[in-house]
Amino acid sequence: MLLDIANLSKRFSSGGRDVAALNDVSLTLPPGETLGLVGASGSGKSTLARILLRLTSADAGSIRFEGKDWLALSGAELRRRRAKMQMVFQDVLGAFNPRATVASVLGDPLRIHDIVPKVERPREIATLLERVGLPASYASRSIREVSGGQRQRIAIARAIATRPSLIVLDEAVSALDVSIRGKILELLVELQQERGIACLFVSHDLAVLRAVSHRIAVMEAGRLVEIASARQVIENPQSSAARALIAAVPRLVTGMPERPHHDV
Ligand SMILES: Nc1ncnc2c1ncn2[C@@H]1O[C@H](COP(=O)(O)OP(=O)(O)O)[C@@H](O)[C@H]1O
Ligand SMILES: [Mg+2]
């Protein structure tokens, strides 16, 4: 198993309010699979993604990633292994210095994780840009000179630069226009098939997850209430949370193609 999350819990208290953001969540992800994680706003999806990426600590539970006790890693070994788990968040590059060049955004992970020798970096950056459907000449642009859709393509290029085995995407296409969104989802599926990368794809939108997921996990108030093949969850939902999410998307349950998935 590439990823094995067991009994993960996390509480937040703020303003006298105590929230169980995650309540005893367990799930596994085999190599190369896309698991969609869906749930209403506040159900704990981002908390799970952030704990996975070691941006937030867990109160209880364990995570094994590539056979290692992921939450116990620290220092140089954590930095080294982070190359294998990358992220694409909603406009993550929007948080970058707007004057940063695309070349530096893509060059940093290549340098930090020593992916290719320095002399080969410009070529590698050009290859990455072309792979995500952008001209190599974009390397010299600054982040503020590219559109939102192009920024997400660059974020994807950055995520695949370190040759990860898992990419965590949190609302990665939610801010994009529908037409651009479809193209980005196609690119993600292509890359994932071509490179065998597993994805944890977090979205509040089942129409998005329908296009990319092998399996879908449904969260409600910090708990994982359902996990099954994408088709099963959409065509034959077992939880009231899944039924409510389906009802919110018109024309979702028609001619659903199934992405072959492993039985786990
Ligand atoms: N840093 C934080 N401080 C306090 N409460 C938080 C924090 N992060 C998340 N929460 C709370 O935890 C719950 C789950 O949030 P989140 O994981 O962001 O949900 P989702 O991504 O599904 O919308 C929510 O009630 C949210 O308000
Ligand atoms: Mg969220």
Side-chain angles (χ1 to χ4, degrees):
M1 207 45 71
L2 178 70
L3 177 71
D4 192 338
I5 295 176
N7 310 108
L8 212 58
S9 291
K10 174 73 178 180
R11 302 188 78 86
F12 287 110
S13 31
S14 62
R17 210 168 58 100
D18 193 39
V19 184
L22 283 186
N23 195 341
D24 200 25
V25 169
S26 302
L27 60 85
T28 58
L29 187 56
E33 186 184 285
T34 296
L35 177 66
L37 186 64
V38 74
S41 175
S43 58
K45 307 181 297 296
S46 294
T47 301
L48 181 60
R50 292 175 56 81
I51 291 174
L52 203 46
L53 291 158
R54 300 281 311 256
L55 300 171
T56 298
S57 64
D59 294 341
S62 65
I63 298 176
R64 290 192 80 74
F65 174 60
E66 292 190 329
K68 294 279 174 184
D69 181 352
W70 181 243
L71 299 184
L73 292 182
S74 63
E77 188 170 19
L78 176 61
R79 279 195 296 280
R80 192 162 57 77
R81 292 196 164 265
R82 266 187 197 282
K84 294 296 175 186
M85 191 194 295
Q86 292 291 306
M87 61 172 175
V88 179
F89 283 5
Q90 184 171 328
D91 200 15
V92 69
L93 300 186
F96 273 57
N97 179 344
R99 278 172 302 186
T101 61
V102 171
S104 71
V105 161
L106 297 179
D108 284 350
L110 295 177
R111 177 177 51 78
I112 291 165
H113 294 291
D114 198 18
I115 303 296
V116 293
K118 188 174 179 185
V119 292
E120 290 173 23
R121 262 181 234 149
R123 180 70 244 154
E124 182 73 8
I125 289 167
T127 305
L128 284 165
L129 284 170
E130 281 162 4
R131 185 60 200 88
V132 298
L134 293 173
S137 62
Y138 269 50
S140 59
R141 297 205 179 187
S142 64
I143 287 298
R144 71 173 160 206
E145 289 173 317
V146 302
S147 71
Q150 291 166 343
R151 277 220 289 272
Q152 279 317 63
R153 287 182 189 271
I154 295 161
I156 293 164
R158 184 179 157 93
I160 62 171
T162 59
R163 297 162 193 179
S165 56
L166 174 65
I167 300 181
V168 179
L169 304 103
D170 191 352
E171 305 288 2
V173 299
S174 302
L176 303 176
D177 288 348
V178 175
S179 57
I180 297 168
R181 180 184 300 172
K183 293 274 188 323
I184 299 273
L185 293 176
E186 272 171 34
L187 171 66
L188 282 166
V189 168
E190 252 175 51
L191 281 172
Q192 197 237 344
Q193 282 171 347
E194 171 186 307
R195 307 187 177 204
I197 304 171
C199 294
L200 181 72
F201 202 117
V202 174
S203 178
H204 68 283
D205 185 345
L206 265 173
V208 164
L209 293 185
R210 177 188 191 273
V212 295
S213 308
H214 297 98
R215 288 184 304 151
I216 293 178
V218 184
M219 295 205 50
E220 183 182 28
R223 288 185 183 276
L224 203 155
V225 293
E226 182 165 357
I227 181 164
S229 80
R231 184 180 205 161
Q232 237 173 296
V233 169
I234 289 174
E235 293 184 350
N236 190 18
Q238 300 299 304
S239 62
S240 56
R243 283 193 289 270
L245 291 161
I246 289 161
V249 187
R251 289 186 300 282
L252 185 67
V253 196
T254 49
M256 168 104 191
E258 181 133 46
R259 291 197 73 191
H261 68 285
H262 314 262
D263 275 315
V264 285

